[in-house]
Amino acid sequence: MRNFLLIIIAAISLAGCKKALEPDEENRRTVEQMYEDGGYAQGFIMNAYRSIPGYYDNSEYATDDAVTNDRINPFALVATGSWTANNNPLSVWNQSYGAMQYINLFLANVDSVKFAADKEANTLFRMRMKGEAYGLRAMYMYFLLRAHAGFTDDGQLMGVPIITKLLTVESPVDEYNTPRATFAACMEQIYKDLDSAQSMLPMEYGDLNTLTGRVPDQFRSVTVNVNVYNRVMGQYSNQLFNGLIARSIRARAGLLAASPAFQHVSNTARWDSAANYAAAVIRHKGGANALPNDGGTYYDNRSQIDGLSNGNNPPEMIWRENFVGDNNEQEIQHYPPSQFGNGRMNPTQNLVDAFPMANGYPISSNLSNYDPANPYAGRDPRLAKYIVYNGNTVGFNNPVILTGSGSGSDDGINVRTNSTRTGYYMKKRLRQDVNRRPGATANRRRYYPRIRYTEIYLNYAEAANEAWGPTNGGTNAFSAYDVIKAIRRRAGVGTTNGDAYLEACKNDQNLMRELIRNERRLELCFESFRFWDLRRWKASLNETARGMDVNAAVYTPIVVEPRVFEDYMYYGPIPFSEVLKFSNLKQNRQWR
């Protein structure tokens, strides 16, 4: 952790070695200069934003949902036995503690910063940015726990070191050699920071009507002037951390803490708390039936994406990155080779089999009407939207893709180094109007999510079912059953038979648990949840990845790639380099 402060200090005050490379004296920045330069001070918070982990980390390559044709991809190596404390692509240690050092530096100095000449605006700016800082710090602690919490050799459930003050080069060595706090203490710190964030931030940013608007009660002790409020909390602050994001991070953290992997006498997290945290977000959205009808295709809602302006969100989004124009990043990586892509994400037969029939029954059910000789017919509509199977279409002008090894197509199994290994390509995440053909390329605007409403609804369904059963919502007006019914109805599942399978599950908590987990798998596929979900559920990590070779209407199952995980890998390691440097930092058991 010490090296991150050195980076910060170097950026602020250290000079180069040679005079020719040294900046002029007036261009060197010190901490004290932030007091008169609000933009410079805000830059420390913006550095914390820049370190937020990307939404699509492609960790599916290490699960039963996908493999990749990039044989040296770090996650492919993790899945096949090369995961060590010294080689961990899932680590967020460095970026998280680095971001928290910027945050702690900001918080240590913000009360002396002048953000605006107007006294009320200045107070509001301080309030908002402190709220952002606390919220971001809580978020980074959540990411650290998800990746690095676990049991030590003595059987204790531990989190990570809690660092809430700025460490400087003058700080005592023992402040750097901080032991890991308990998992429970880390959760308390998350909730404490989120409480601070929520007290200082509006639920959502947006301009109030200058004639009829009223400043929200929590800010009226600072100002009643709508123009001042809009200057600080209006639309120009969209996509900064807000109160709704804080509530969503609380829901994520609560779900993690209540999950089977973290059950221990020292951890008092409860399913009902996790459910209520998610319920607060759902109520803000409008209830169980308020999910946007097009939320499942957020990545390809073209007119919606192209019309984004002023930092506004599509209805499905709680938080997103800024949009980028003229973009084809996902299509380069994941279009099939016939569409001039690298075909990296290869969904498995395991995942395809998880999609039910359109009547809502799993394909394993005698009531499903599943036909192994025509396996893609009559399926859940999400299958065709999210996965390219043999005979499905993808890309500009909707060409038909043939994936069989004997199809004569570049898209066939293992035909090229960038062809599928499973007989499937990913369709989700891609804009179908991107054209990669040389001489006729057409790129499009896109954005990357950070938090979707659908995730929070699924969080609620899981926690509510565990806390109260399928049809009881506790003190909430909706249950796990209500949420899953809404999600499946949106997907077009069970609409012709009253979703008879869901009705059969609603009286059985165990069946509902399986259904909720499966709906989560489908709704959030390729969005980097599966790896983390399997681990927090302590579910099998070693399901062999399978595929399907289709040639002349003959369907041949194939074994594609084994998974090599040990039970201790339900918990990620503390970086080996950190354990070597700091004697008080205990490693999770069995990691070396």
Side-chain angles (χ1 to χ4, degrees), residues 301-327:
N301 295 337
R302 299 168 200 177
S303 61
Q304 188 181 87
I305 296 169
D306 293 340
L308 287 176
S309 62
N310 298 323
N312 292 322
N313 271 332
E316 172 65 16
M317 290 298 132
I318 293 173
W319 197 17
R320 64 173 175 85
E321 295 185 33
N322 292 331
F323 65 75
V324 288
D326 196 33
N327 184 268

Side-chain angles (χ1 to χ4, degrees), residues 37 40 53 56 74-75 133 174 196 259 353 356 365 395 485 586:
D37 186 345
Y40 174 48
Y56 301 138
F75 293 118
D174 61 352
S196 296
S259 295
D353 287 348
S365 170
K485 183 176 182 178
K586 291 184 179 180

